[in-house]
Amino acid sequence: MLSPVIEQALNDQIAMECKASFVYLAMANWCEQEGLGGCAEFLYEHSDEERMHMLKLVKYLNGVDGKAIIPNVSLEQQSWSDIRSLLEEVYEHEKKVTKSIHELVAVSQEQKDFRTLNFLQWYVDEQLEEEILVKDILDQVKLIGNGPQSLYYINKELEKRANAPEEEEEEA
Ligand code: OFO
């Protein structure tokens, strides 16, 4: 029997993944308009991944007899001052998602919901990977600098990351 506390917490996480997907979509859109095709490709891909994270939660919640809620998403921002501040925002967002997943794990433990606890392990691992990836990109960007000449290299770097062979991802 699914506790209402877990159902609410999972729905909150669905909302968070959904928001992440749309924020990254808006970022990709902005990059494309700025002529940063490689950055756009990376962020479009990342947006799709967040959508997959959301769907995985929706299907799990409905599968354990809960009721998943598809949230309304409103975006506060459609443009960014530069690529470095955009990537810093991505990193901050990922850290927020990680914190939220860890809180969800703690709630599952408190509620003795071992199914959900087990299900969430995938997200714990995924968030670790994502944080490492974004931090690594940000470190590179800091090294390259934020000047106009650097944009070419940053764009190339993100294009390379977008085209890097995918590690085995579970289907949503
Ligand atoms: Fe990167 O946020 Fe999903 O889990």
Side-chain angles (χ1 to χ4, degrees), residues 8-96:
Q8 182 59 54
L10 287 170
N11 268 313
D12 290 345
Q13 193 61 38
I14 287 171
M16 199 164 209
E17 305 287 348
C18 189
K19 180 78 186 248
S21 177
F22 277 93
V23 169
Y24 299 156
L25 183 61
M27 287 174 165
N29 181 48
W30 177 78
C31 286
E32 197 161 57
Q33 289 164 3
E34 292 293 308
L36 298 166
C39 298
E41 209 180 316
F42 174 80
L43 287 157
Y44 279 132
E45 221 172 71
H46 210 62
S47 167
D48 284 348
E49 271 187 36
E50 297 303 346
R51 184 176 182 277
M52 182 272 281
H53 297 170
M54 175 190 68
L55 276 181
K56 210 173 159 71
L57 281 156
V58 167
K59 290 180 181 180
Y60 174 76
L61 187 44
N62 288 334
V64 292
D65 219 16
K67 278 199 176 7
I69 296 165
I70 306 303
N72 277 322
V73 178
S74 63
L75 293 174
E76 295 81 31
Q77 214 175 333
Q78 293 284 346
S79 63
W80 285 262
S81 55
D82 55 64
I83 193 70
R84 180 168 163 176
S85 61
L86 180 151
L87 289 168
E88 273 164 356
E89 204 180 298
V90 173
Y91 188 43
E92 286 313 307
H93 204 89
E94 287 303 327
K95 286 200 283 188
K96 228 156 68 182

Side-chain angles (χ1 to χ4, degrees), residues 78-140:
Q78 293 284 346
S79 63
W80 285 262
S81 55
D82 55 64
I83 193 70
R84 180 168 163 176
S85 61
L86 180 151
L87 289 168
E88 273 164 356
E89 204 180 298
V90 173
Y91 188 43
E92 286 313 307
H93 204 89
E94 287 303 327
K95 286 200 283 188
K96 228 156 68 182
V97 174
T98 300
K99 189 165 174 265
S100 170
I101 293 285
H102 291 179
E103 278 163 11
L104 196 44
V105 167
V107 173
S108 310
Q109 264 162 347
E110 274 161 33
Q111 297 281 318
K112 296 191 172 31
D113 184 338
F114 302 113
R115 259 182 336 191
T116 301
L117 195 59
N118 188 42
F119 167 75
L120 288 171
Q121 193 52 53
W122 183 88
Y123 285 84
V124 173
D125 297 341
E126 179 71 6
Q127 274 313 115
L128 178 61
E129 265 178 39
E130 291 200 345
E131 269 196 39
I132 290 172
L133 171 72
V134 180
K135 186 181 179 304
D136 191 42
I137 292 170
L138 205 49
D139 287 345
Q140 296 273 323

